[in-house]
Amino acid sequence: MNPDILRERQNATFDIEKLTNILDGGAERTNRRREIREVLVLNDPDFDYGTPTSLPTMILKLREYGISDPVEINWYKSMYWGTGREALGLHYVMFLPTLYTQCDSEQFNKWVPLIIGTYAQTEMGHGTHLRGLETTATFDPATQEFVMHSPTVTSIKWWPGGRNPLFLPLIFLSIPLSASLFDLFLSGFALPTCSGIVIGDIGPKFGFDAVDNGYLKLEHVRIPRENMLMKYAQVKPDGSYVKPLSSKLTYGTMVFIRSLIVGNAGIVLSQCCTIAIRYSAVRHQSEIRAGEAEPQILDYQTQQHKLFPLLATAYAFLFAGQYMIDTYNRISGDINQGDLSEMPELHALSAGLKAFTTWTANTGIEVCRMSCGGHGYSRSSALPDIYVEFTPSCTYEGENTVMMLQTARFLMKSYRQVQAGQQLSGAVSYLNKVHHRVMAPQAVSSQLDLNLNTLVDLYEIRAAMLVELAAQSIQQESARGKCQEDSWNNSTIDLVRASDAHCHYMVLKMFRDKVDQIEDPGVHSVMSTLAHLYAIHGMGNFTGDFLQAGVLTGAQVPSVSKCLKGLLAEVRPSAVLLVDAFDHHDKMLNSVLGRHDGNVYEAMFEWARSSPLNRTEVHESFHKHLKPLQAKL
Ligand SMILES: CC(C)(COP(=O)(O)OP(=O)(O)OC[C@H]1O[C@@H](n2cnc3c(N)ncnc32)[C@H](O)[C@@H]1OP(=O)(O)O)[C@@H](O)C(=O)NCCC(=O)NCCSC(=O)CCCCCCCCCCCCCCC(=O)O
Ligand SMILES: Cc1cc2nc3c(=O)[nH]c(=O)nc-3n(C[C@H](O)[C@H](O)[C@H](O)COP(=O)(O)OP(=O)(O)OC[C@H]3O[C@@H](n4cnc5c(N)ncnc54)[C@H](O)[C@@H]3O)c2cc1C
């Protein structure tokens, strides 16, 4: 083991295993995750790491081992595929959940065990504006069929992932009866027997290469009436339409995925922090004091300032992901029982946190890559591949700006309710104080109050102020004679800013609540330090907001920076131990820089030598092209 990394692991001030257990949701979950990883994957003789042929093996193995719990499937898949996406990702995270949540019982029993599918909602002309989707599904009572049709070039289904060229069960969103409502259809076409279908691949992408994203054009293709997913809405044999309790129930799968993406952003950021911090512990470069040995780059304050707030953010997002999934499960359970009362809040929370966490993690991956210098740009680091696979999460499953505006819509509605004298509950209950003006900033002392509860309060006041400012912008636009829609559009910068601040407050609050639950003194102490770092770093990035909210004075600003530097120094001794607690296996991380043993250089040389370009002493291109040319000179 590299001596630097060995030294970093001595004198631990907290029990790493206990922190890993907290991340997993308990010691039993950690043991089960490791059993799946070590026994069912790594020690499985059939396991042929990450090669395309292993996809069928993976599916058969999941069935052989009886792994059906979604979290355990994900543990198995992430060990199998490492940090990349796999071709069946969409089947597991969108197609199956849609069948689980939108099929009636007869359809469920008929389809769920049997098929692999994709989710074809986006069209060439519309991905965000679902009410603008153009694909039609017209019911023909005479034949008891829907006629599916792509009327325009912009209605061609575009992007469905994992498009199987031979058999095409897919979830469709289309407009069967009216522009405002659309429903889900399962359309199983066995190509090429089925006429009226034009299918293909949309061509090379920025990345996401394991997933073949396709296109699908339908020319009056007929499917049985029974293929409409009929849990919430039905078309009866006589053609009458039974509307769902809410037209937004059709959007359920997207809310589920957005909820998953929050925790996934934490996982991806934790992978990158593991790579960058372990590498920074073994990389020596330049000098701090003339004549002395080159220091570990982790001892540079700027390197700590790049990486430690991201480390804190990774923990914050992992805890936010746990909260998000618990909230999703609770509310979707209520929805299943017909109680839709919290559906708007679930939508607003999942949309905002999806955007907030993916934007932050997306930037953070690049900071981790650049903090590793030239070796960070090598594919051996795994950081370029992680970035390329993660960055579309800011676009898919709800483009981030649009998602932030959906959260803003909920915040504005809540603000208006408070103005009308209603008492709010849930995540926006802090807006009650705005109405009663108890949001007046507390007496701000000359010293920065570092109590975590106080910091949460300051973020709450910042969010409330920005919500109020956005609402006032809309009111001012209206007062200038603008219609409601233009008043909204002319305030969207403020609205996104308010949603961002609301999400930032929510994430810090979840972090603080999780720290409060930690009983082990050592783990509590190090997690409390990270939560403080997360809060103070955000205060440093958005100082203007806190000044504008009156919860920070100009005189206190220097102490934010001073406090930040102190927290960076406090985290430094535990940095490697804190990434060890993420418990990412070398095989899954697939990074020469992030190896657990820290033997980076030896591994990098071996990795380079294994490159196809180094298979022969002299590359064949010399003999093929240069040598004949030389002979003519
Ligand atoms: C929401 C929209 C933007 C707008 O919809 P509408 O126009 O219909 O609504 P309005 O804006 O007019 O609002 C009216 C009203 O409705 C409320 N509303 C809106 N949506 C919802 C909702 N979902 N739930 C509840 N309520 C809702 C809204 O608040 C208003 O209420 P009020 O009137 O009261 O104010 C909509 O158009 C939209 O959602 N657009 C986005 C479309 C989208 O998301 N497309 C996604 C396509 S599928 C895709 O992209 C797939 C990509 C997948 C790639 C791989 C995935 C990998 C994921 C990894 C995850 C982790 C993996 C680890 C786990 C594992 O592997 O298992
Ligand atoms: C890797 C990848 C995989 C995908 N897989 C699938 C899949 O399997 N199935 C599927 O159905 N789809 C899939 N998609 C499509 C994806 O869901 C859409 O691209 C996404 O919903 C964004 O919609 P759009 O492309 O129409 O972008 P647009 O909405 O056209 O966005 C373009 C710009 O317009 C802005 N904008 C749009 N509306 C508003 C508004 N109301 N207010 C302010 N600004 C606005 C956006 O902020 C953005 O800056 C995938 C996409 C990617 C990148």
Side-chain angles (χ1 to χ4, degrees):
M1 183 171 290
N2 173 287
D4 287 319
I5 212 102
L6 193 61
R7 192 173 53 255
E8 294 288 338
R9 291 181 172 131
Q10 287 157 358
N11 312 319
T13 61
F14 66 96
D15 184 330
I16 298 174
E17 186 65 10
K18 281 189 177 162
L19 182 49
T20 302
N21 295 161
I22 289 169
L23 291 173
D24 281 325
E28 313 71 46
R29 302 285 287 172
T30 299
N31 297 336
R32 176 61 179 158
R33 176 174 57 80
R34 285 176 179 155
E35 180 199 12
I36 288 175
R37 177 173 84 185
E38 312 291 342
V39 176
L40 303 186
V41 180
L42 289 179
N43 295 337
D44 181 334
D46 298 332
F47 176 55
D48 175 12
Y49 183 69
T51 56
T53 53
S54 62
L55 183 57
T57 314
M58 184 187 87
I59 296 172
L60 292 173
K61 287 292 180 184
L62 284 170
R63 290 191 178 165
E64 180 190 330
Y65 296 136
I67 298 179
S68 56
D69 173 90
V71 175
E72 293 193 4
I73 288 175
N74 186 46
W75 284 338
Y76 188 90
K77 288 197 304 164
S78 56
M79 197 53 232
Y80 217 82
W81 296 96
T83 52
R85 293 275 172 235
E86 31 89 14
L88 276 188
L90 204 90
H91 167 73
Y92 282 111
V93 295
M94 289 208 78
F95 182 77
L96 276 186
T98 303
L99 294 187
Y100 277 99
T101 55
Q102 310 271 345
C103 282
D104 63 25
S105 51
E106 189 184 330
Q107 292 173 324
F108 182 89
N109 296 327
K110 178 181 165 188
W111 292 327
V112 169
L114 300 176
I115 52 180
I116 291 178
T118 183
Y119 185 88
Q121 172 178 291
T122 301
E123 295 171 354
M124 198 193 291
H126 291 93
T128 286
H129 187 51
L130 296 185
R131 283 184 286 124
L133 291 177
E134 298 172 87
T135 303
T136 58
T138 311
F139 183 60
D140 178 354
T143 62
Q144 292 294 292
E145 293 170 320
F146 284 101
V147 181
M148 314 296 286
H149 184 57
S150 309
T152 60
V153 67
T154 48
S155 68
I156 295 173
K157 288 298 177 186
W158 207 262
W159 280 110
R163 169 197 56 84
N164 180 324
L166 295 180
F167 191 70
L168 200 70
L170 49 81
I171 300 292
F172 248 95
L173 265 76
S174 30
I175 313 291
L177 296 164
S178 70
S180 61
L181 291 181
F182 51 81
D183 289 285
L184 296 161
F185 297 83
L186 180 78
S187 319
F189 310 117
L191 293 176
T193 54
C194 197
S195 66
I197 290 181
V198 179
I199 182 175
D201 188 279
I202 63 170
K205 308 181 288 284
F206 188 94
F208 229 66
D209 297 332
V211 179
D212 52 344
N213 294 93
Y215 64 78
L216 175 69
K217 186 174 184 300
L218 300 166
E219 288 153 2
H220 307 291
V221 178
R222 289 176 169 272
I223 62 171
R225 180 182 68 87
E226 295 76 14
N227 278 30
M228 174 182 168
L229 306 193
M230 298 210 200
K231 179 172 182 176
Y232 294 117
Q234 296 89 33
V235 169
K236 300 296 186 187
D238 64 2
S240 58
Y241 180 66
V242 179
K243 285 174 70 174
L245 268 178
S246 158
S247 62
K248 303 312 172 197
L249 286 166
T250 314
Y251 293 2
T253 302
M254 293 179 276
V255 176
F256 169 62
I257 296 297
R258 290 167 194 157
S259 304
L260 272 184
I261 288 174
V262 175
N264 186 248
I267 291 170
V268 172
L269 197 51
S270 71
Q271 291 164 352
C272 296
C273 287
T274 300
I275 294 167
I277 287 173
R278 282 180 179 165
Y279 176 64
S280 299
V282 302
R283 178 72 168 178
H284 292 252
Q285 197 69 202
S286 311
E287 60 184 18
I288 293 177
R289 287 171 288 279
E292 288 192 9
E294 290 185 274
Q296 295 163 281
I297 58 175
L298 200 54
D299 288 333
Y300 288 114
Q301 188 184 64
T302 49
Q303 191 79 354
Q304 295 170 14
H305 189 225
K306 290 172 189 172
L307 296 178
F308 293 173
L310 287 176
L311 175 61
T313 303
Y315 274 97
F317 288 0
L318 288 168
F319 296 144
Q322 290 175 353
Y323 176 90
M324 186 68 248
I325 276 300
D326 291 346
T327 304
Y328 173 83
N329 289 333
R330 176 178 62 80
I331 297 177
S332 56
D334 296 343
I335 292 169
N336 236 354
Q337 302 302 317
D339 173 5
L340 276 52
S341 58
E342 287 194 85
M343 197 164 92
E345 176 143 6
L346 178 63
H347 166 54
L349 184 66
S350 56
L353 287 185
K354 180 265 178 186
F356 182 78
T357 56
T358 52
W359 260 336
T360 305
N362 192 56
T363 306
I365 298 167
E366 272 293 81
V367 171
C368 288
R369 177 185 67 77
M370 289 185 274
S371 75
C372 296
H375 297 326
Y377 193 70
S378 163
R379 298 280 297 276
S380 67
S381 73
L383 290 166
D385 290 60
I386 292 173
Y387 180 80
V388 158
E389 292 303 310
F390 183 81
T391 193
S393 63
C394 297
T395 305
Y396 64 51
E397 224 49 76
E399 198 281 332
N400 278 1
T401 303
V402 174
M403 291 297 101
M404 280 292 186
L405 290 171
Q406 283 291 309
T407 302
R409 185 169 173 144
F410 183 74
L411 292 172
M412 290 302 105
K413 193 170 152 186
S414 304
Y415 180 81
R416 289 193 300 273
Q417 289 168 341
V418 165
Q419 295 297 81
Q422 287 185 36
Q423 189 68 13
L424 296 179
S425 60
V428 290
S429 55
Y430 66 92
L431 294 177
N432 293 325
K433 302 171 194 170
V434 174
H435 180 59
H436 306 301
R437 283 277 162 255
V438 297
M439 264 300 183
Q442 302 135 20
V444 182
S445 68
S446 58
Q447 285 307 314
L448 199 58
D449 179 347
L450 267 183
N451 176 292
L452 202 48
N453 293 327
T454 307
L455 290 168
V456 171
D457 290 345
L458 301 189
Y459 272 75
E460 180 181 272
I461 293 172
R462 171 201 175 215
M465 172 203 69
L466 290 170
V467 168
E468 188 157 56
L469 286 179
Q472 287 168 352
S473 171
I474 293 172
Q475 286 155 6
Q476 288 151 16
E477 290 295 321
S478 301
R480 288 172 51 209
K482 300 289 183 186
C483 68
Q484 187 187 348
E485 293 77 5
D486 288 349
S487 301
W488 173 271
N489 190 44
N490 293 348
S491 307
T492 41
I493 295 171
D494 308 295
L495 289 161
V496 169
R497 198 173 155 212
S499 291
D500 191 79
H502 170 76
C503 293
H504 208 161
Y505 153 67
M506 289 294 291
V507 168
L508 177 63
K509 183 171 175 293
M510 294 169 198
F511 201 168
R512 185 275 313 269
D513 294 348
K514 178 61 85 171
V515 170
D516 286 349
Q517 295 164 15
I518 297 173
E519 293 167 0
D520 180 274
V523 176
H524 181 274
S525 170
V526 74
M527 281 292 107
S528 176
T529 301
L530 283 185
H532 276 93
L533 178 56
Y534 181 72
I536 293 295
H537 180 253
M539 196 174 267
N541 284 348
F542 297 98
T543 304
D545 289 351
F546 291 93
L547 286 169
Q548 191 175 1
V551 293
L552 191 68
T553 65
Q556 286 176 325
V557 171
S559 57
V560 174
S561 174
K562 185 163 171 277
C563 176
L564 178 70
K565 293 173 183 175
L567 288 165
L568 296 177
E570 208 174 314
V571 168
R572 171 64 187 85
S574 305
V576 169
L577 299 162
L578 283 164
V579 300
D580 286 350
F582 293 136
D583 197 24
H584 292 310
H585 194 282
D586 280 357
K587 261 274 189 212
M588 189 282 289
L589 217 46
N590 196 24
S591 168
V592 162
L593 306 189
R595 293 169 59 93
H596 186 268
D597 64 11
N599 293 329
V600 166
Y601 296 120
E602 300 77 3
M604 189 177 292
F605 188 49
E606 281 315 304
W607 183 87
R609 286 169 61 95
S610 68
S611 161
L613 289 174
N614 298 324
R615 272 209 195 107
T616 55
E617 272 304 298
V618 176
H619 195 265
E620 62 176 11
S621 56
F622 169 75
H623 301 290
K624 205 169 172 184
H625 303 292
L626 285 178
K627 201 168 180 181
L629 202 63
Q630 275 178 342
K632 290 176 184 165
L633 297 178

